Amino acid sequence: MQSGIRRGACALAQQARATPNAQLTAALTSGRWESVRGFAAAAAATEAKKAPTGRVSQVIGAVVDVQFDGALPPILNALEVQGFENRLVLEVAQHLGENMVRTIAMDGTDGLTRGQGVLDTGAPITVPVGEQTLGRIINIIGEP
């Protein structure tokens, strides 16, 4: 029974992913660049609405446990704490079960309190590389 549910969920996910790509391909081949820009903006807005959100459950130094209401973000995903004095990025290190993940903070957690909102970025931490970054100082989350 569970494998049938899993197959159905995978099929729905593939169908959802295929639809925007088909629209984007059609827009690109027809030369409608303005609609492509509009499609990208709409897709980004939709992603922001669907991004899983959670709340801080426990803080122990640089280790922060975050509880989510729905699906858990994958390991190595970057999470951003909302309403914190400066940008605080957390990296998912472990799934604890019961909709809880253990993360590692990439900056100080002083002032972080239980219940603060956390947003899943949907991607791992990325740092720019290339000739443009040679000789420049970049921190662990890719900011100059």
Side-chain angles (χ1 to χ4, degrees):
M1 178 74 177
Q2 193 172 19
S3 64
I5 294 171
R6 187 175 295 146
R7 268 184 278 162
C10 288
L12 286 174
Q14 287 175 345
Q15 184 181 11
R17 276 190 231 118
T19 303
N21 290 339
Q23 292 172 353
L24 180 61
T25 303
L28 284 172
T29 55
S30 67
R32 292 178 292 160
W33 301 113
E34 291 304 315
S35 64
V36 170
R37 284 190 203 136
F39 176 78
T46 303
E47 279 299 314
K49 289 179 187 174
K50 288 194 277 182
T53 58
R55 59 190 169 283
V56 174
S57 172
Q58 178 176 313
V59 181
I60 306 171
V63 177
V64 180
D65 290 350
V66 179
Q67 185 171 17
F68 285 87
D69 295 328
L72 296 178
I75 293 178
L76 299 180
N77 256 25
L79 310 176
E80 283 194 38
V81 176
Q82 304 296 305
F84 198 60
E85 50 222 35
N86 53 2
R87 184 174 179 226
L88 178 59
V89 177
L90 310 171
E91 183 180 56
V92 178
Q94 183 180 14
H95 291 161
L96 298 175
E98 298 184 19
N99 293 335
M100 189 92 68
V101 295
R102 180 153 289 163
T103 65
I104 300 170
M106 299 294 128
D107 202 357
T109 58
D110 295 340
L112 187 61
T113 59
R114 292 179 57 181
Q116 273 188 290
V118 177
L119 179 69
D120 179 18
T121 63
I125 297 171
T126 57
V127 177
V129 295
E131 289 187 26
Q132 297 85 1
T133 60
L134 288 177
R136 303 202 185 270
I137 298 174
I138 298 175
N139 69 8
I140 196 164
I141 57 173
E143 297 175 336

